[in-house]
Amino acid sequence: MSANSFGKLLTVTTFGESHGPAIGCVVDGCPPGLALAADEFAHDLQRRATGKSRHTSARREADEVEILSGVYEGRTTGTPIALLIRNIDQRSKDYSAIAAQFRPGHADYSYWQKYGIRDPRGGGRSSARETTMRVAAGVIAKKWLRERHGVSVRGWLSQLGGITPRGFDWSAVEANPFFWPDAAQVPELEAYMDALRKSGDSVGARVHVVADGVPPGWGEPIYGKLDGEIAAALMSINAVKGVEIGDGFASAAQKGTEHRDLITPDGFQSNHAGGILGGIATGQQIVASMVLKPTSSLRLPGATVDVDGQPVDVITTGRHDPCVGIRATPIAEAMLALVLMDQALRHRAQCGDVGDVAPRVPGRLDG
Ligand code: EPS
């Protein structure tokens, strides 16, 4: 079975290559009646797009969505929603010199080993271009979650190389090209990225994503755990090498008395669990993060082999992101939203008759 689809009751299938004529997705299982127009996709797609600052790839795509099916007179009909974005700024000649080489750290080699053939233009299917359609699908999930359940999904860049936020302000996040929560540090990030770009190197990053307002109960034990599906969804994003839920790996050094989130009638006293216990939402904020590796397309030469096994030094020219994490916040939000909507529909299907169960304690006291 192919693996270009995910989800159970809400399924998303993406298709397309970076330098093909178009990319697209089919979102199946969205309930009928959701108001949906093509221009609603623009905001999140532009947050993710290339060419928005000197710190990301200079490729300029309009990223305009065409709704091909599943919407009639501005409302979803319950049938598959097909979305299409035409590629308009491919520059495939950037790849002609390396078409028969494998960039170290890139999927070139593993795709070749798996399929025995690959589309080398812009990384083909392994390109970050594919994440465009995740974000488009995520727009539907975010809207449904917000309107139906009052759930909001937001993220921020929580590490760029060795730099971490010193302060946190939601209003700063959308006001700089990094999705950084501390406005005072933006000049430092700009200087860091300018020097990095000049050096020809790349760097890794970390993105945090949270969901507020998720009701307790979403998530299915044992193999459909909410945290398991969030981890898989985030891990499926290009370049992601690590995922944490709540305190994640820091839990290894914690005592039980530190990690457990004490419960009082007034609410949970902390949120080390990231809002999920036993794979099921507790009603607290869902907290996840993901780490993206440094971009592997570098103009600095690196040892590799060509398709004949001959040693070569590969140099990648073209328009690459020195840090893919800079544009990854909307992608993480989309993936979290899609998992949550799928789980919400599954919860409704099996447990819709259960209703509210007492006692229901609020999330962490300080929010
Ligand atoms: C990418 C390489 C660049 C980026 C691209 C991701 O593509 P190209 O060399 O074809 O211009 O621009 O990102 C996008 C096009 C996008 O929309 O995110 C890569 O190798 O992953």
Side-chain angles (χ1 to χ4, degrees), residues 18-19 48 50 57 59 95 122 127-129 132 319-320 327:
S18 183
H19 288 212
R48 189 216 70 92
T50 52
S57 161
R59 180 164 161 177
Y95 292 87
S127 169
R129 182 105 192 100
T132 315
R319 306 166 292 182
H320 297 286
R327 301 194 280 127

Side-chain angles (χ1 to χ4, degrees), residues 18-19 23 48-50 57-61 63 87 89-92 94-95 103 106 121-124 126-132 238 295-297 317-321 324 327 331:
S18 183
H19 288 212
I23 51 177
R48 189 216 70 92
T50 52
S57 161
R59 180 164 161 177
R60 289 196 178 275
E61 292 289 344
D63 283 348
N87 291 325
D89 189 27
Q90 307 94 320
R91 216 168 65 185
S92 301
D94 288 345
Y95 292 87
R103 284 166 284 181
H106 199 279
R121 303 164 307 156
S126 71
S127 169
R129 182 105 192 100
E130 186 270 341
T131 62
T132 315
N238 311 46
T295 318
S296 51
S297 297
T317 57
R319 306 166 292 182
H320 297 286
D321 295 86
V324 279
R327 301 194 280 127
I331 310 168

Side-chain angles (χ1 to χ4, degrees), residues 241-291:
K241 284 295 184 188
V243 173
E244 292 190 44
I245 307 290
D247 282 4
F249 288 96
S251 310
Q254 294 172 348
K255 302 273 172 39
T257 45
E258 290 172 74
H259 184 85
R260 64 182 179 177
D261 299 311
L262 299 178
I263 308 172
T264 74
D266 295 328
F268 288 90
Q269 304 291 297
S270 55
N271 188 11
H272 300 289
I276 303 170
L277 293 172
I280 301 172
T282 61
Q284 293 223 73
Q285 184 180 61
I286 306 284
V287 184
S289 73
M290 63 182 199
V291 166

Side-chain angles (χ1 to χ4, degrees), residues 58-99:
R59 180 164 161 177
R60 289 196 178 275
E61 292 289 344
D63 283 348
E64 270 171 23
V65 167
E66 293 170 49
I67 301 176
L68 303 185
S69 70
V71 176
Y72 178 67
E73 293 184 338
R75 293 203 172 264
T76 58
T77 58
T79 61
I81 303 168
L83 307 176
L84 192 84
I85 292 178
R86 295 180 197 279
N87 291 325
I88 55 174
D89 189 27
Q90 307 94 320
R91 216 168 65 185
S92 301
K93 67 173 167 35
D94 288 345
Y95 292 87
S96 44
I98 59 165

